[in-house]
Amino acid sequence: MSEDSKQPIRQVNIDDDQNAMADFVTEFNTYEAFLDSQISEIDQYYLQDTDIAREFVELGYRGVGQGISRKDFQERKHRAEVILYSRRQGPIAILSDTLTVINPFAKELAVREEANRTTRLLTIIFIRDRNHLGQEISAYVDYAHRLKSEDFTLIFLGKNKLVPLTTDLSFYNWHTHVCVSNNTQNFHLVSDVNGVQFRCEHDRKMIYVDPELKHYGDGTARIVVDTDEYLQVILYVRF
């Protein structure tokens, strides 16, 4: 379909596959506040210690309602907040649906656009390329984050390149040795003796980007993109 087609851009809601009611965890600012809501007056009377009472609730030994772990609470709260934010912002436009996408890398981006915009799937893009000075640069890019801040129309059409930026998850200039790292709403960078890793803030699981490991994390796939436009492109897809 040509980019000048009259067909309107398809729009989706982030909660198309969610229940209309917001998750009950949104009623609480912190996990501790949730635990406090589960402590009965009798438990408080006999235990006489809020921290111990919270621990009993967390372990499932006490509680007046639904039990939930700290990890599940954080994941559900984050997901519910994303859904509520989307409702306030309105439907999300899917740009690539109305464009003629030919470039191999652009196709990989296009097929994952909707899933990344709605955060049902997340993608870290590793790009190695040269800047306008001929210097080799590289970056790990949070695709969902960049979709929010950048118009990808010309990238989908193959007229512009996806350029590594110092605002990405990790940026490195191999000539000047400038190194910059940032966290996003979706990923936090974690550096240790094993090199660079990323923690997905939706499920707290790690993504390992060292190709020598041969394991990239639970629910993560590594996809090498065959392209002549860049020195190297690799996708780390978090399902």
Side-chain angles (χ1 to χ4, degrees), residues 175-190:
H175 179 77
T176 63
H177 304 294
V178 170
C179 182
V180 183
S181 62
N182 305 279
N183 294 325
T184 67
Q185 186 179 23
N186 302 312
F187 298 105
H188 279 205
L189 185 147
V190 179

mmCIF file of all heavy atoms in Angstrom, residues 175-190:
data_model
loop_
_atom_site.group_PDB
_atom_site.id
_atom_site.type_symbol
_atom_site.label_atom_id
_atom_site.label_comp_id
_atom_site.label_asym_id
_atom_site.label_seq_id
_atom_site.Cartn_x
_atom_site.Cartn_y
_atom_site.Cartn_z
ATOM 1 N N HIS A 175 35.334 5.685 18.699
ATOM 2 C CA HIS A 175 36.450 6.569 18.370
ATOM 3 C C HIS A 175 36.804 7.486 19.544
ATOM 4 O O HIS A 175 37.966 7.621 19.920
ATOM 5 C CB HIS A 175 36.119 7.410 17.136
ATOM 6 C CG HIS A 175 37.196 8.366 16.724
ATOM 7 N ND1 HIS A 175 38.328 7.961 16.049
ATOM 8 C CD2 HIS A 175 37.334 9.712 16.904
ATOM 9 C CE1 HIS A 175 39.108 9.007 15.824
ATOM 10 N NE2 HIS A 175 38.534 10.085 16.337
ATOM 11 N N THR A 176 35.808 8.093 20.134
ATOM 12 C CA THR A 176 36.033 9.020 21.245
ATOM 13 C C THR A 176 35.933 8.332 22.606
ATOM 14 O O THR A 176 36.248 8.934 23.627
ATOM 15 C CB THR A 176 35.010 10.167 21.202
ATOM 16 O OG1 THR A 176 33.681 9.614 21.372
ATOM 17 C CG2 THR A 176 35.072 10.894 19.861
ATOM 18 N N HIS A 177 35.415 7.089 22.622
ATOM 19 C CA HIS A 177 35.229 6.301 23.854
ATOM 20 C C HIS A 177 34.197 6.930 24.789
ATOM 21 O O HIS A 177 34.215 6.679 26.000
ATOM 22 C CB HIS A 177 36.563 6.110 24.588
ATOM 23 C CG HIS A 177 37.622 5.470 23.747
ATOM 24 N ND1 HIS A 177 37.531 4.170 23.293
ATOM 25 C CD2 HIS A 177 38.787 5.967 23.235
ATOM 26 C CE1 HIS A 177 38.587 3.881 22.552
ATOM 27 N NE2 HIS A 177 39.369 4.957 22.491
ATOM 28 N N VAL A 178 33.320 7.734 24.233
ATOM 29 C CA VAL A 178 32.205 8.272 25.019
ATOM 30 C C VAL A 178 31.196 7.157 25.260
ATOM 31 O O VAL A 178 30.749 6.485 24.316
ATOM 32 C CB VAL A 178 31.526 9.451 24.287
ATOM 33 C CG1 VAL A 178 30.229 9.841 24.992
ATOM 34 C CG2 VAL A 178 32.465 10.640 24.214
ATOM 35 N N CYS A 179 30.858 6.949 26.516
ATOM 36 C CA CYS A 179 29.912 5.892 26.891
ATOM 37 C C CYS A 179 28.818 6.499 27.764
ATOM 38 O O CYS A 179 29.112 7.162 28.766
ATOM 39 C CB CYS A 179 30.637 4.782 27.639
ATOM 40 S SG CYS A 179 29.584 3.401 28.116
ATOM 41 N N VAL A 180 27.568 6.275 27.376
ATOM 42 C CA VAL A 180 26.427 6.825 28.111
ATOM 43 C C VAL A 180 25.387 5.723 28.304
ATOM 44 O O VAL A 180 25.137 4.938 27.388
ATOM 45 C CB VAL A 180 25.773 8.006 27.360
ATOM 46 C CG1 VAL A 180 24.636 8.599 28.182
ATOM 47 C CG2 VAL A 180 26.806 9.075 27.021
ATOM 48 N N SER A 181 24.805 5.657 29.473
ATOM 49 C CA SER A 181 23.743 4.676 29.732
ATOM 50 C C SER A 181 22.560 5.353 30.395
ATOM 51 O O SER A 181 22.713 6.333 31.119
ATOM 52 C CB SER A 181 24.262 3.535 30.606
ATOM 53 O OG SER A 181 24.688 4.023 31.864
ATOM 54 N N ASN A 182 21.382 4.822 30.123
ATOM 55 C CA ASN A 182 20.132 5.370 30.652
ATOM 56 C C ASN A 182 19.157 4.243 30.942
ATOM 57 O O ASN A 182 19.196 3.188 30.290
ATOM 58 C CB ASN A 182 19.481 6.324 29.639
ATOM 59 C CG ASN A 182 20.397 7.435 29.185
ATOM 60 O OD1 ASN A 182 20.570 8.436 29.853
ATOM 61 N ND2 ASN A 182 21.017 7.246 28.003
ATOM 62 N N ASN A 183 18.266 4.472 31.878
ATOM 63 C CA ASN A 183 17.165 3.553 32.132
ATOM 64 C C ASN A 183 15.890 4.109 31.494
ATOM 65 O O ASN A 183 15.746 5.328 31.340
ATOM 66 C CB ASN A 183 16.942 3.367 33.630
ATOM 67 C CG ASN A 183 18.116 2.682 34.303
ATOM 68 O OD1 ASN A 183 18.756 1.819 33.712
ATOM 69 N ND2 ASN A 183 18.402 3.064 35.537
ATOM 70 N N THR A 184 14.989 3.212 31.134
ATOM 71 C CA THR A 184 13.685 3.624 30.626
ATOM 72 C C THR A 184 12.603 2.991 31.492
ATOM 73 O O THR A 184 12.896 2.236 32.421
ATOM 74 C CB THR A 184 13.491 3.182 29.160
ATOM 75 O OG1 THR A 184 13.412 1.739 29.106
ATOM 76 C CG2 THR A 184 14.638 3.664 28.278
ATOM 77 N N GLN A 185 11.377 3.266 31.150
ATOM 78 C CA GLN A 185 10.264 2.667 31.879
ATOM 79 C C GLN A 185 10.228 1.154 31.685
ATOM 80 O O GLN A 185 9.723 0.428 32.536
ATOM 81 C CB GLN A 185 8.938 3.277 31.399
ATOM 82 C CG GLN A 185 7.724 2.825 32.197
ATOM 83 C CD GLN A 185 6.441 3.467 31.697
ATOM 84 O OE1 GLN A 185 6.358 3.897 30.567
ATOM 85 N NE2 GLN A 185 5.443 3.534 32.553
ATOM 86 N N ASN A 186 10.810 0.686 30.595
ATOM 87 C CA ASN A 186 10.754 -0.744 30.267
ATOM 88 C C ASN A 186 11.978 -1.533 30.704
ATOM 89 O O ASN A 186 11.860 -2.710 31.056
ATOM 90 C CB ASN A 186 10.572 -0.917 28.755
ATOM 91 C CG ASN A 186 9.327 -0.232 28.234
ATOM 92 O OD1 ASN A 186 8.249 -0.375 28.800
ATOM 93 N ND2 ASN A 186 9.466 0.526 27.169
ATOM 94 N N PHE A 187 13.160 -0.893 30.676
ATOM 95 C CA PHE A 187 14.393 -1.619 30.945
ATOM 96 C C PHE A 187 15.336 -0.810 31.826
ATOM 97 O O PHE A 187 15.426 0.411 31.698
ATOM 98 C CB PHE A 187 15.135 -1.956 29.636
ATOM 99 C CG PHE A 187 14.374 -2.853 28.710
ATOM 100 C CD1 PHE A 187 13.768 -2.339 27.571
ATOM 101 C CD2 PHE A 187 14.273 -4.224 28.966
ATOM 102 C CE1 PHE A 187 13.071 -3.165 26.711
ATOM 103 C CE2 PHE A 187 13.580 -5.050 28.104
ATOM 104 C CZ PHE A 187 12.972 -4.524 26.975
ATOM 105 N N HIS A 188 16.053 -1.527 32.688
ATOM 106 C CA HIS A 188 17.133 -0.944 33.470
ATOM 107 C C HIS A 188 18.421 -1.671 33.110
ATOM 108 O O HIS A 188 18.454 -2.901 33.038
ATOM 109 C CB HIS A 188 16.864 -1.073 34.972
ATOM 110 C CG HIS A 188 15.931 -0.024 35.489
ATOM 111 N ND1 HIS A 188 15.915 0.383 36.798
ATOM 112 C CD2 HIS A 188 14.983 0.711 34.872
ATOM 113 C CE1 HIS A 188 14.991 1.328 36.970
ATOM 114 N NE2 HIS A 188 14.412 1.533 35.809
ATOM 115 N N LEU A 189 19.480 -0.907 32.886
ATOM 116 C CA LEU A 189 20.775 -1.488 32.558
ATOM 117 C C LEU A 189 21.468 -1.954 33.830
ATOM 118 O O LEU A 189 21.495 -1.241 34.833
ATOM 119 C CB LEU A 189 21.636 -0.469 31.815
ATOM 120 C CG LEU A 189 22.993 -0.950 31.293
ATOM 121 C CD1 LEU A 189 23.347 -0.234 29.993
ATOM 122 C CD2 LEU A 189 24.084 -0.695 32.338
ATOM 123 N N VAL A 190 22.013 -3.165 33.769
ATOM 124 C CA VAL A 190 22.725 -3.739 34.905
ATOM 125 C C VAL A 190 24.099 -4.180 34.417
ATOM 126 O O VAL A 190 24.208 -4.989 33.502
ATOM 127 C CB VAL A 190 21.976 -4.956 35.491
ATOM 128 C CG1 VAL A 190 22.765 -5.550 36.661
ATOM 129 C CG2 VAL A 190 20.573 -4.557 35.926
#
